[in-house]
Amino acid sequence: MVMAMSRGRLDDSDMERISQELPEIGKLGEVVLGVAPDSLRFRHFPPESDIPVATVCFLDALYTLEEAEYALSEVLAHQLWYLEREKPPNKMSATFFGRFYSDNAALRLYSAGEHLANAIIMMLQICDQQLKPYREKRTSQQSVVGNYLRKEKTNHPITKEVTKLADSNEWQATMRYRNRWVHEQPPTVADMGTVYKRRRRCETLPDGKGRILRGGGDAPEYSVEDLVGFIKPAMFKFTDTLTSVVKFYIEILEAPGSIRFNTQQEGGKP
């Protein structure tokens, strides 16, 4: 099914209402964007240091988070438009676009997590040999780095921040949703018509003497509200984690002998 249009124009009060449901990443962006990888702030690091490279990873994480935030804002905007502004309400269009942008947000949050993991590798100068034991049966960089930190740097402040994110129910639900979307049948969503799971339809009768073909679809697993219910808090939690890790990075850059940042640019947690 392809929709011919997206949504109508929302007024300022509608957009303000949506913005109140999104994480504030403006101050975080000011700090990250204020650290260029070729900055003089890195002149006290040796040429072979990977610490300056971390700033590029942080930029990637920030940009991807901004894209995820935009996707979530469009979920909310389409829900508002099709369920409250459209007369009569158009539930199927609200669901189609809500699912589309929810998928987008989940995919980008996963990607942002991978960028953050690479930033931590560069920032803490973790080598491949150190990570090798943790790569077995794992393909996700954030999973590899997270397990390394739990085992090797248990009391490190970065470990505590990353662990809070990784252990949160909302982040885990978002990552599971993303993983199924990529590697399996995409999870089914209500109000999209009949949905089918990938399963055999021909069932053996209870007496074992024959088979029957069951007709009809399957119960959908999620609603758009369910998706927003875990993707939105996961985005807030990731924003908090990224902010905390960037603050620690700034402390490294402001070590004795380096050029200090303008403290007015340092952002608190959203």
Side-chain angles (χ1 to χ4, degrees):
M1 176 178 62
V2 178
M3 296 292 183
M5 61 171 288
S6 180
R7 63 171 174 83
R9 184 180 179 86
L10 298 172
D11 61 29
D12 290 345
S13 63
D14 289 331
M15 298 308 294
E16 176 61 24
R17 173 178 160 189
I18 290 169
S19 70
Q20 294 301 313
E21 298 192 52
L22 302 173
E24 171 53 55
I25 59 178
K27 291 182 179 179
L28 170 63
E30 290 176 8
V31 177
V32 176
L33 291 170
V35 190
D38 55 355
S39 169
L40 288 176
R41 295 185 175 103
F42 297 114
R43 66 184 181 183
H44 63 294
F45 293 105
E48 63 274 12
S49 173
D50 284 330
I51 292 177
V53 183
T55 190
V56 183
C57 300
F58 283 125
L59 283 169
D60 293 335
L62 172 68
Y63 295 149
T64 309
L65 174 60
E66 289 176 336
E67 292 166 356
E69 184 187 47
Y70 167 74
L72 179 58
S73 74
E74 285 301 316
V75 176
L76 302 175
H78 281 83
Q79 293 286 290
L80 196 161
W81 176 261
Y82 283 109
L83 299 181
E84 298 184 29
R85 299 291 175 265
E86 186 101 321
K87 302 299 180 186
N90 188 335
K91 183 67 173 177
M92 182 169 284
S93 290
T95 301
F96 176 87
F97 290 110
R99 183 185 67 170
F100 175 83
Y101 285 108
S102 294
D103 292 348
N104 196 299
L107 293 168
R108 279 174 162 74
L109 281 177
Y110 175 90
S111 179
E114 295 294 282
H115 297 319
L116 176 57
N118 282 296
I120 292 171
I121 289 173
M122 301 298 179
M123 178 178 64
L124 300 182
Q125 301 190 91
I126 305 169
C127 68
D128 289 340
Q129 193 63 30
Q130 291 173 296
L131 293 175
K132 185 176 180 180
Y134 300 92
R135 293 198 184 281
E136 187 176 352
K137 298 182 181 180
R138 297 187 182 98
T139 57
S140 168
Q141 191 79 302
Q142 55 193 293
S143 177
V144 172
V145 172
N147 280 278
Y148 166 82
L149 292 174
R150 288 178 193 262
K151 182 70 174 179
E152 307 294 342
K153 296 183 180 293
T154 306
N155 297 317
H156 196 285
I158 295 300
T159 305
K160 294 178 181 179
E161 294 298 329
V162 169
T163 299
K164 277 194 299 185
L165 175 67
D167 288 348
S168 70
N169 292 332
E170 296 86 357
W171 184 259
Q172 291 179 5
T174 302
M175 296 302 101
R176 283 195 301 270
Y177 183 85
R178 175 268 173 196
N179 291 339
R180 288 184 58 198
W181 195 97
V182 171
H183 300 294
E184 304 172 25
Q185 178 187 14
T188 54
V189 178
D191 299 309
M192 289 292 295
T194 304
V195 296
Y196 297 95
K197 292 184 179 180
R198 296 175 184 174
R199 64 178 182 86
R200 293 170 180 165
R201 302 282 157 178
C202 192
E203 302 175 7
T204 302
L205 292 173
D207 60 8
K209 295 181 179 180
R211 295 183 179 181
I212 184 172
L213 180 63
R214 301 286 185 186
D218 296 305
E221 300 168 80
Y222 296 100
S223 65
V224 172
E225 291 75 17
D226 293 332
L227 301 182
V228 174
F230 57 79
I231 292 173
K232 184 171 78 169
M235 191 176 296
F236 273 88
K237 291 177 187 294
F238 180 82
T239 303
D240 285 348
T241 301
L242 179 58
T243 300
S244 296
V245 176
V246 167
K247 281 185 174 182
F248 186 86
Y249 184 60
I250 298 303
E251 291 177 8
I252 293 176
L253 301 187
E254 292 187 339
S258 64
I259 300 174
R260 294 190 61 81
F261 281 71
N262 181 346
T263 55
Q264 291 183 345
Q265 285 188 327
E266 295 187 24
K269 288 186 178 182

